[in-house]
Amino acid sequence: MSTLPLHPLPAVPGRPVHTWTRAVLLAVLSLWLMAGIALAQDAPYERVHRLLQAGELPAAMAEAEAWLARQPRDPQMRFLKGVIQQQRGETDAALTTFRELTRDYPELPEPYNNLAVLHASAGQLGEAREALEMAIRLNPQYAIAHRNLGDVYLRLAANAYRTSLELAPGAPQTTRQLQGVEQLLSTPSTR
């Protein structure tokens, strides 16, 4: 989702999810790092973030794991580890990392947003919606979560219109509505 944004979400089967997922992950990660949740002066957050942005995922993971061996409860580094897992395509591991963060630090909205990105990527739009609603309850000013929730609603609307057309084929109003939603979903992101 906006990294953890959802925009633009794939509307058509076969459209790659990775372009928007990476942009969203990096955007949210950047915001979180700037927020300064640092637990210690010597924490390697910036180094891990730079490695992640450079696409040096093995090195970023090595740094994150080394830090977490000393500071296993550090929420910011655990979040970075989840982002790295997500970028590496380790979806199950990333889901576990973000779920554990929401359990251990239920006040943090970012892990909910990242969970939503993973759920949306898997077509689990109800779960994505719930995670985003929680992120927004925790931080009503969380713009990325609001944008991602809008994207999820668009995908849910497209699914509902498709179902409607299956049940009542050829309904002109429904066809126009579906086309409008699909056009919104296929618009390239400018994030």
Side-chain angles (χ1 to χ4, degrees):
M1 302 190 106
S2 269
T3 253
L4 307 190
L6 286 178
H7 191 76
L9 293 176
V12 182
R15 182 174 173 179
V17 174
H18 302 292
T19 55
W20 61 265
T21 302
R22 183 160 194 216
V24 171
L25 286 172
L26 292 176
V28 170
L29 181 60
S30 295
L31 291 173
W32 203 19
L33 285 173
M34 286 187 266
I37 302 176
L39 297 175
Q41 293 281 351
D42 60 343
Y45 306 126
E46 287 297 325
R47 197 167 45 253
V48 171
H49 185 244
R50 279 194 306 276
L51 290 167
L52 181 61
Q53 284 186 316
E56 298 179 33
L57 301 179
M61 183 61 85
E63 289 271 350
E65 288 178 339
W67 177 256
L68 288 170
R70 295 188 312 263
Q71 300 288 332
R73 295 204 33 86
D74 180 341
Q76 189 170 353
M77 191 58 75
R78 288 170 62 189
F79 181 83
L80 284 166
K81 180 179 177 180
V83 172
I84 295 164
Q85 291 166 326
Q86 196 169 356
Q87 290 292 308
R88 289 169 59 158
E90 299 168 0
T91 303
D92 291 339
L95 281 168
T96 298
T97 298
F98 294 130
R99 282 185 186 129
E100 288 174 354
L101 275 168
T102 63
R103 182 195 65 224
D104 297 344
Y105 301 94
E107 71 279 7
L108 298 177
E110 293 84 359
Y112 289 102
N113 186 69
N114 285 55
L115 277 174
V117 170
L118 292 168
H119 287 310
S121 296
Q124 301 164 345
L125 300 178
E127 290 89 341
R129 187 194 73 240
E130 290 173 12
L132 288 165
E133 288 172 348
M134 177 58 83
I136 291 167
R137 273 194 298 279
L138 292 169
N139 180 1
Q141 304 303 311
Y142 195 1
I144 291 170
H146 282 281
R147 182 176 57 212
N148 289 342
L149 184 58
D151 291 339
V152 167
Y153 283 144
L154 283 173
R155 289 180 64 186
L156 287 167
N159 290 345
Y161 291 137
R162 283 187 199 101
T163 300
S164 178
L165 286 171
E166 288 173 12
L167 298 171
Q173 178 65 24
T174 306
T175 300
R176 283 191 299 278
Q177 289 169 316
L178 176 59
Q179 290 169 343
V181 169
E182 286 178 337
Q183 182 178 359
L184 288 171
L185 287 169
S186 67
T187 303
S189 175
T190 57
R191 291 178 212 185

